[in-house]
Amino acid sequence: MKILVIGASGFVGNSLLKRLIDIENIEVMALSRKIEKVSEDFEDSKNISFQKFDLCSDNFSVLNFSPNIIINLSSTQPFSDQMTWDNFLEGNVTTISSLIDYAKSEKIEKIIHLSTSSVFSSSQSPINKDTLPSPDNYYGLSKLLGENLLRISRLRSEFDASVVVLRFPSIYGDLHHAGL
């Protein structure tokens, strides 16, 4: 099985690679804009290869890899008040469109897409399986649009991959950049 991990240098990506390292019959291609540090951490791995890749500007055609599964962990997150709608649109919506085009061309079997509970309003509490998304910020809106692009493309049978969207409220732990 071949797995493409997008956003490999982030906290979740690094944690996932630790779980996938040296598993027999799995070949992993790890992509990130900041690949240097994470590739050093796994330089002895027999089944993980690394490539510097910016989902916003690079084209999937440069990859010499045909995965069965794509795990998309990449995200443009609200790290400052200077972030604009255009930042979130490019990083969380336009990139999904590129990912869908790639899934069509490569006959991907499964896409696992990491999203966020920010697709819900901060006033929506408690959140359960019946709660409808209602974002109250650009980040949440862009992540919801990315999810919906995947859903609609799948409903229109534009690609055959099954799609799983995981919405996490907050992720933290060892090596998390926020210092929690």
Side-chain angles (χ1 to χ4, degrees):
M1 178 184 334
K2 293 183 173 185
I3 302 172
L4 181 67
V5 177
I6 304 170
S9 66
F11 173 66
V12 176
N14 196 290
S15 298
L16 176 62
L17 293 179
K18 287 178 184 174
R19 301 282 185 190
L20 297 175
I21 194 167
D22 300 329
I23 294 177
E24 288 186 29
N25 302 318
I26 292 179
E27 184 180 342
V28 179
M29 162 94 47
L31 306 179
S32 179
R33 288 178 295 195
K34 301 173 184 173
I35 203 69
E36 295 80 15
K37 172 72 172 97
V38 71
S39 63
E40 289 173 11
D41 292 345
F42 295 92
E43 65 187 355
D44 294 332
S45 170
K46 295 173 180 68
N47 68 326
I48 302 175
S49 60
F50 297 89
Q51 185 162 337
K52 186 175 177 115
F53 190 87
D54 187 334
L55 198 53
C56 292
S57 60
D58 292 333
N59 190 308
F60 283 103
S61 65
V62 302
L63 300 180
N64 187 20
F65 191 72
S66 295
N68 306 95
I69 299 172
I70 296 174
I71 302 175
N72 181 33
L73 308 173
S74 70
S75 181
T76 295
Q77 297 183 12
F79 60 85
S80 84
D81 292 338
Q82 309 305 313
M83 300 288 290
T84 66
W85 168 244
D86 289 338
N87 299 127
F88 294 114
L89 179 66
E90 179 184 38
N92 297 328
V93 181
T94 304
T95 57
I96 297 302
S97 182
S98 298
L99 184 86
I100 290 168
D101 289 341
Y102 182 63
K104 289 178 195 177
S105 70
E106 291 296 319
K107 309 286 191 268
I108 303 301
E109 296 169 20
K110 179 173 282 208
I111 297 172
I112 301 171
H113 175 70
L114 191 67
S115 190
T116 176
S117 63
S118 291
V119 300
F120 301 103
S121 166
S122 55
S123 65
Q124 290 178 286
S125 182
I127 296 169
N128 62 43
K129 65 180 178 59
D130 298 319
T131 306
L132 296 176
S134 180
D136 56 10
N137 58 61
Y138 289 147
Y139 172 63
L141 177 60
S142 68
K143 293 298 281 185
L144 182 59
L145 287 172
E147 289 179 20
N148 281 325
L149 271 176
L150 286 165
R151 182 181 61 81
I152 290 168
S153 294
R154 180 65 184 102
L155 287 173
R156 293 174 47 113
S157 299
E158 293 178 7
F159 60 89
D160 293 329
S162 62
V163 176
V164 175
V165 174
L166 304 173
R167 293 179 180 156
F168 291 105
S170 186
I171 301 173
Y172 65 93
D174 241 4
L175 304 175
H176 189 266
H177 63 82
L180 295 173

